Amino acid sequence: MTASPLSTAVPNVDPAELEKFSAMAARWWDPESDFKPLHAINPIRLAWIRRHAGALSGEGIVDVGCGGGILAESMAREGARVTGIDLAEQSLTVARLHSLESGVAVDYQARSAEQFAADHPADYDIVTCMEMLEHVPDPESTICACATLVKPGGWVFFSTLNRNPKSFLLAIVGAEYMLKLLPRGTHAYENFIKPSELAAAARRHGLDVVALSGMGYHPVSRRYALTRDTSVNYLVATRRP
Ligand code: SAH
């Protein structure tokens, strides 16, 4: 990761990644689709956000890399004023349709984190960036954008995949090839991020790292839960002083 300042000069996007998500977009809200794991972890991560940031009602939140809006809508349902940004247009179309159907208002915009941060510095009480950093060419640039978006005293929550032999085995070999929880090619091992790397990048951009938690999948019960084990999926809570 590079200690890049906020820059919108070179788009921090991998077009192949966006195509991958666009191709699956119609299935965002099918809980049995490739997005099943995101539906399964959503109540857990939502509770974790609430545990740190408190009640979400009235809070201004931006969800970076919102996809079809699984997390964004669930936070809006709790009374937060949520903006969701993503660069995959098809996903935003699905997110907007779902919001109309459910009657839970979310403002979805096709903007990159960097562009949005340049226009909205220190505008948000909470920034969420879940399962997204492992899909961008320069994750530190996204972290910098998230740090720019949050108000002093506000929270920034990240989640991503750790990088080690166990995460390779579980997140790629296990999830994509054996259990077929995710389509093959969903994740690239080299884009996985160690918690120490994420924490160091967050600190370089002025965020204090408050908490780190693992999220574990139990193949037998087929359930996720928070765990001390951060070796595969993990969440990081950070706060701007
Ligand atoms: N955060 C959502 C979706 C995670 S999937 C959730 O956890 O439920 C990863 C998302 O990141 C996809 O919607 C994809 O379109 C988006 N994404 C990938 N690269 C991006 C980029 N450069 N800018 C914005 N969004 C991006």
Side-chain angles (χ1 to χ4, degrees), residues 7 13 29 62 85 102 109 123 135 154 158 165 174 176-177 184 190 192 199 204 212 214 216:
S7 164
V13 59
W29 286 91
V62 58
I85 61 170
S102 63
Q109 299 189 29
D123 259 2
H135 299 287
F158 299 101
E176 296 183 14
Y177 289 80
R184 288 185 190 181
E190 61 273 19
F192 290 5
R204 277 196 289 275
L212 172 68

Side-chain angles (χ1 to χ4, degrees), residues 58-134:
E59 297 292 278
I61 303 182
V62 58
D63 185 26
V64 174
C66 62
I70 296 171
L71 177 65
E73 225 187 74
S74 67
M75 297 190 294
R77 208 174 269 284
E78 307 232 332
R81 295 172 286 114
V82 183
T83 299
I85 61 170
D86 202 291
L87 287 176
E89 293 278 359
Q90 282 90 333
S91 295
L92 294 174
T93 301
V94 170
R96 289 186 188 113
L97 279 173
H98 196 273
S99 155
L100 282 176
E101 271 180 29
S102 63
V104 180
V106 176
D107 175 22
Y108 290 108
Q109 299 189 29
R111 307 289 306 281
S112 75
E114 291 83 356
Q115 292 165 333
F116 198 74
D119 293 344
H120 299 276
D123 259 2
Y124 289 89
D125 302 302
I126 298 172
V127 180
T128 52
C129 180
M130 302 272 174
E131 313 304 326
M132 187 268 196
L133 293 174
E134 70 274 24

Side-chain angles (χ1 to χ4, degrees), residues 12-13 18 21 28 38 45 65 67 86-88 130-132 136:
N12 179 20
V13 59
L18 293 188
F21 285 103
W28 268 108
L38 294 178
R45 60 192 186 179
D86 202 291
L87 287 176
M130 302 272 174
E131 313 304 326
M132 187 268 196
V136 298

